Amino acid sequence: MTVLTRIREVAVIRRDNKFDRILFATMLALSGFGLLMIYSATRDSGTFSMERQMIFVSAGLIIYLVVSNIDYREYQGIIPMISVVTLLLLLAVFVFDSVNNVSRWIPLGTFNLQPAEFAKVVVIVVLASHLAPSSRDEIGPRTISWQKVLQAVGIVAIPAALVYMQPDLGTTLVFGFILFSMLFVSGATWRQLVSLLAALVLGVAAVLRLGLLSEYQFDRLRVLFNSSIDPQGIGYQLRQSRNAIGSGQLFGKGLFREGTLTDFNYVPEQENDFIFTAVGEQLGLIGGLLVLAAFAVIVWRLLVISANSRDRFGALIAAGTAAMVMFHVFVNIGMTIGIMPVTGLPLPFLSQGGSFYMSMALALGIANSVWLMKTPVPGENQLM
Amino acid sequence: MKFAVRLGILGIVFVAMFSVVGLRLWFVQVAEGPAIAQATEEQTWIQKTTYAPRGDIYDRNGVLLVTSRMVPAVVIDRTFVQPEEREELIKRLSALLAIDAEELDAVYEKEGINARFQVAIVSNELAYRLNEQLDVLPGVEIARVPERVYLSGPTLAHVIGHLGLPDEADVEENPDIDLNLRIGRLGVESAYDQFLQGTSGILEYRVRRGEIIDQKPPLAPLPGNSLELTIDLELQQLVELALEEGIALSNAVKDADHLAGEDVFGVTEKAAAVVLDAKTFEILALASVPDFDPQLFVAGIHVDTYADLNEREALFNRAIGGRYPPASTFKAITYTVIEEENLPFPDRDDVDVSDRLVNCDGKFILPELADGSQQVKRDWYDGITSFGWLDIHDALRNSCNKFFWAAGLGTYLAWDRTPRETVIQDWAGDLGYGSATGIDLEGEIDGTIPSRAEFERRAEIQRENPDAGLLHPSRLEDDGAIWQGGDLMDFAIGQGAFEATPLQVAVSYAVLANGGRVMEPRVVSRVIDSSGNTVQEISSPHVRTVPITSTTRESLLADLGRVVSSGTARAAFKDFGDGLDQIGGKTGTAEISANKDSHAWFVGVAPLNSPQYIVVVLVEEGGSGGRIAAPVARHILQYLMGNVPTPIEAGEKTD
């Protein structure tokens, strides 16, 4: 069955269901705003960065629209395949030359693919499938067994370990947050979650003890607590970022204003991980809170989608996606204002970066598909 | 729990996370915002320092000794180097300047973001070639920076000092100190650093992507003030040469003595000299051998060179920091005390108390000790000659130890444990011994005047720590005496535990010669600005007046004159030429240990009718004062008195 005929059939099914317009509009607004801020942060070297990001945004929107129209329940049948492909891609990054001892990319001509970004979405889908009961429309039992919990840990642990080796501590933590959130909503007991957390803490302690945390990761954690340790390095980045945001005050210095710290390029990576710095400095607390509100809307819609899903699989996908977005926003903005360590997590829809934008669009597209399919249409099973 | 409830709890957690971020944002932007905004406004302005040329140093006749010239230097301003250009820049510069790339990169890294720092001083030719390549050397500029030039080389090194970068101690003292600013070390470079330093200039600008977009008017550096020294360069050069010749003479004499079968110990290599104006307390010359070339420190001294200087003690100014027993030069002080305080002489066979004569036959037999044993002190001429009965005048002329021992013993026997027991020490202290003279140079020591109090202080330390080695252990035993008569006798002839610097000896003679005025010696007379106007006159503060009767003073000066005309320095001064009758002096030979040669001393005073010049010469482990130090001082005095200095040849082997 070709994808196109399938899409046509889905269209027939969801005749009465509408796109989640609020989710889509918010996503569009954030993407447009992101392009503006990228331009603001890089305009002294031209519009290149913004134009490049426009291409990724366009690609992302196409992905969103296509995926919205694919019945998310289809994925349950191809779980082994997408798992294997994702793992192979995560392994492939080690084949290519590392940049500064970091292996994160698969070069595709002008574009570098970051499999770790897509792996987050895959992990959400695979976990949802694992935790959802097998029979389709059942809401399922209220608790899950230890066996299920441990299997879920196993599902996440393999890609997490590969990503950690790149090394990419931030994305590894995203996996952890998704795992906990999804286990919780799918019925894990407090005892199960606390035991898991305790095991994790012990694991981290062991990692620190054995020196498995690379020196720069360790520095980034230490600098959070004492930014005077290296005034020129990571601490400098954090301090500059906080200064830039702080100096924006209530209303900001104005978009594209000259003479700002962002304008002076005083904040390293201000078009990537530190894009929120440009927002905070130029648009102030008002602009910053508006951005936060937009993310709150996205997370709220995802939770609504989860609550309204026709089955547990879709509900878990939407909840996992909400957790992913939430964690990115919290850690990224938290980092720019000095309450989170520098872990290299970008800000959804705003930060520059192709793989990340497209993976976020993919995740929201799948969630939108859950929304579209929420009401069973008479006769749909014959079509399936 | 229902699924929806669990979803709701997750939602609440998410709301909490949003709230934390939102509150923190409010705190950073509203609560702290105004303060941060103000700080960052200043931060966008980059401040760069331009260094001021240090002031010049002149001798008393206006001869330029030290100056600063502007030389081309390669300066990197990291503000204008984009991160991606760094590697290429280091590679190119390393090739052009022949500096190791890794070393250069380490400096680049150390200086930090936005730093502006000097990489190297370059020749004019290289500066010209670099200028043509500046397009491909981002952030590099050829700046003209001040460089210190020591025109007189190693001459006067200890008085001038040198430059260095601030060390940990300086940072502790002043945490805001500019770590790239060279500051004075030793000598007047250090003592007058605040005058010489000048004020650094400031460049302030805002930079965007390596381009200046805004600039404040630059604050030009203010050159430092200059110094005029009390030193006479020509005299200084002559003194330094004379010391070198004195050292050579000492070694030649030692060789001859060795061939003749006499005991000779080390090689002579250290010496010091001071020429002091007795009226103004200006230092006319001050030398310490071995010396160093201050220029070595200008570009940063090599570790090995520095280690070598330290090993040779070349940086040590022994004229103000060396500890030497003043030996027989101190007899002039004891002489004065005998006259002024009428010191008691002991009633013995070889002392005539009523006429104050002592039989200078070479041996002094000490009073019987409790166990019946008797110690005998041998005088320097024992076995060579016997002077017979001498009065105080001939005793000084011939440097008869027995006479001054007798005075010491008499004082001990009559006044020990009375308020007058320290009468000689008190005079020594008043004349400048035992405390720093206050000269405007760093590194001066106090020296030591031995006394009962001093010895008891040492005994206290040694009881706590038996290995201190400050006193002979027998003195600490129950039947021992910590302070003994022999100690005062030794002190009376400038020996024993007595420690003094050549400068202190010079000061004490200046006070005796000028009738009792004690002042702080000075090497700087004026601070002048770049247009030659006086900023500050530096005069020697008057410290105190020591009451010396003119009878004693005139008698002493006459007897010092007889030392060079017919006494222990007679041979050294025989070729002095005209005006020998205006020269006085005193030899000294400091015995320091059984397996070391003695230090050779001579103190000269001239002219005797109105003393102006005090010349102190010390040749460390040089041998006899009359033989080695006196000819050196004679050479200097000849120059001071307008005679043609004659070659430095060995004098007579005397005390």
Side-chain angles (χ1 to χ4, degrees), chain A residues 55-368:
Chain A
I55 297 171
F56 295 135
V57 170
S58 313
L61 291 179
I62 292 168
I63 291 173
Y64 176 83
L65 294 175
V66 169
V67 172
S68 294
N69 287 297
I70 296 175
D71 185 347
Y72 67 97
R73 292 172 295 180
E74 289 292 313
Y75 304 127
Q76 241 168 337
I78 53 166
I79 291 291
M81 192 189 79
I82 56 173
S83 302
V84 169
V85 170
T86 306
L87 288 179
L88 285 178
L89 286 173
L90 282 178
L91 280 169
V93 296
F94 296 104
V95 176
F96 301 96
D97 287 344
S98 59
V99 181
N100 297 332
N101 280 328
V102 176
S103 307
R104 197 168 290 170
W105 303 271
I106 296 174
L108 302 174
T110 56
F111 170 67
N112 286 338
L113 182 76
Q114 289 190 47
E117 301 298 356
F118 295 98
K120 291 179 226 176
V121 185
V122 172
V123 161
I124 291 172
V125 173
V126 175
L127 262 188
S129 162
H130 171 71
L131 295 171
S134 48
S135 89
R136 197 167 280 180
D137 296 325
E138 191 189 338
I139 274 303
R142 293 191 177 178
T143 54
I144 50 173
S145 65
W146 265 110
Q147 194 189 359
K148 276 249 179 214
V149 170
L150 292 178
Q151 282 166 350
V153 172
I155 288 169
V156 176
I158 299 165
L162 286 173
V163 168
Y164 181 75
M165 278 157 55
Q166 290 184 355
D168 182 350
L169 181 63
T171 304
T172 314
L173 294 175
V174 176
F175 285 143
F177 191 78
I178 291 172
L179 173 68
F180 270 88
S181 304
M182 290 179 69
L183 279 177
F184 175 70
V185 291
S186 57
T189 60
W190 289 113
R191 178 185 287 183
Q192 284 169 332
L193 291 172
V194 169
S195 310
L196 211 55
L197 201 63
L200 203 70
V201 168
L202 283 176
V204 169
V207 164
L208 288 176
R209 198 91 195 143
L210 298 172
L212 291 178
L213 204 61
S214 71
E215 199 175 329
Y216 96 104
Q217 288 169 339
F218 193 65
D219 279 350
R220 285 174 165 198
L221 284 174
R222 275 196 326 161
V223 166
L224 178 70
F225 300 108
N226 183 2
S227 64
S228 64
I229 293 171
D230 71 335
Q232 309 295 357
I234 305 149
Y236 173 83
Q237 204 173 357
L238 279 178
R239 212 175 39 245
Q240 292 292 46
S241 160
R242 197 164 62 203
N243 283 348
I245 292 176
S247 66
Q249 304 190 65
L250 192 57
F251 298 108
K253 297 176 182 171
L255 199 59
F256 303 150
R257 244 294 290 282
E258 291 208 344
T260 60
L261 292 189
T262 323
D263 182 38
F264 277 125
N265 257 36
Y266 269 28
V267 186
E269 294 193 48
Q270 59 191 12
E271 70 276 23
N272 298 329
D273 298 354
F274 282 86
I275 190 79
F276 188 77
T277 308
V279 179
E281 187 182 22
Q282 297 180 13
L283 301 171
L285 180 66
I286 304 294
L289 287 182
L290 278 175
V291 169
L292 271 186
F295 283 116
V297 166
I298 287 180
V299 170
W300 163 61
R301 284 315 303 169
L302 287 169
L303 291 180
V304 168
I305 290 171
S306 178
N308 289 292
S309 168
R310 67 188 294 165
D311 60 8
R312 185 62 72 86
F313 179 54
L316 286 175
I317 287 178
T321 306
M324 174 175 74
V325 174
M326 182 71 236
F327 193 71
H328 270 277
V329 170
F330 182 72
V331 174
N332 178 280
I333 299 183
M335 164 183 84
T336 63
I337 50 180
I339 53 173
M340 282 279 118
V342 178
T343 43
L345 282 186
L347 190 60
F349 307 113
L350 265 68
S351 286
Q352 179 183 294
S355 300
F356 180 60
Y357 188 90
M358 291 189 285
S359 72
M360 280 293 153
L362 174 68
L364 262 60
I366 296 173
N368 194 31

Side-chain angles (χ1 to χ4, degrees), chain B residues 109 130 289 304 349 375 442 570 642 647:
Chain B
E109 184 64 39
L130 284 164
V289 178
D304 294 344
D349 291 348
Q375 265 190 306
E442 63 181 55
R570 179 192 63 237

Side-chain angles (χ1 to χ4, degrees), chain B residues 95-355:
Chain B
L96 284 164
L97 301 175
I99 299 177
D100 184 59
E102 264 173 50
E103 219 171 279
L104 196 57
D105 195 66
V107 174
Y108 189 96
E109 184 64 39
K110 196 193 84 195
E111 295 288 342
I113 286 171
N114 285 338
R116 178 187 148 95
F117 57 97
Q118 183 177 322
V119 178
I121 287 176
V122 292
S123 68
N124 282 316
E125 292 77 20
L126 185 52
Y128 189 79
R129 268 176 46 212
L130 284 164
N131 243 325
E132 293 180 327
Q133 297 188 40
L134 287 183
D135 314 349
V136 290
L137 296 170
V140 172
E141 53 185 294
I142 308 299
R144 298 193 71 79
V145 300
E147 184 190 51
R148 203 71 167 143
V149 189
Y150 296 90
L151 298 167
S152 51
T155 303
L156 202 57
H158 293 97
V159 170
I160 289 173
H162 62 89
L163 297 183
L165 290 171
D167 59 20
E168 281 170 26
D170 299 310
V171 175
E172 204 161 291
E173 200 178 303
N174 174 14
D176 298 328
I177 199 164
D178 181 343
L179 292 175
N180 289 315
L181 175 65
R182 287 177 189 277
I183 55 175
R185 297 259 179 249
L186 306 177
V188 294
E189 288 274 36
S190 168
Y192 291 87
D193 195 52
Q194 47 162 340
F195 292 105
L196 291 166
Q197 192 67 260
T199 311
S200 300
I202 298 169
L203 291 177
E204 260 188 301
Y205 43 72
R206 302 174 103 177
V207 172
R208 191 157 156 259
R209 281 269 160 187
E211 272 173 49
I212 296 180
I213 56 162
D214 203 354
Q215 200 166 6
K216 288 187 188 171
L219 269 178
L222 287 174
N225 287 319
S226 298
L227 302 179
E228 184 183 273
L229 302 184
T230 58
I231 304 282
D232 181 324
L233 179 65
E234 201 177 305
L235 172 67
Q236 176 75 24
Q237 286 167 332
L238 178 108
V239 167
E240 290 187 18
L241 264 173
L243 282 184
E244 295 288 354
E245 285 176 39
I247 288 169
L249 172 67
S250 164
N251 285 320
V253 166
K254 282 183 184 180
D255 285 348
D257 282 358
H258 183 61
L259 285 176
E262 287 185 38
D263 282 340
V264 170
F265 303 98
V267 176
T268 311
E269 45 197 16
K270 296 161 184 168
V274 176
V275 180
L276 177 70
D277 188 316
K279 295 175 175 172
T280 63
F281 274 59
E282 289 175 336
I283 303 279
L284 302 175
L286 188 144
S288 178
V289 178
D291 56 19
F292 62 95
D293 186 349
Q295 200 70 43
L296 287 174
F297 291 87
V298 168
I301 191 164
H302 191 274
V303 216
D304 294 344
T305 317
Y306 189 69
D308 176 59
L309 288 180
N310 268 334
E311 200 189 332
R312 294 193 297 121
E313 296 177 12
L315 298 171
F316 178 51
N317 185 351
R318 51 201 74 243
I320 62 171
R323 300 168 187 275
Y324 311 99
S328 298
T329 64
F330 188 68
K331 284 174 184 159
I333 286 86
T334 310
Y335 177 112
T336 308
V337 187
I338 292 170
E339 294 289 21
E340 293 288 325
E341 302 285 345
N342 203 8
L343 294 184
F345 275 67
D347 191 7
R348 309 162 39 108
D349 291 348
D350 48 4
V351 176
D352 178 342
V353 178
S354 58
D355 290 334

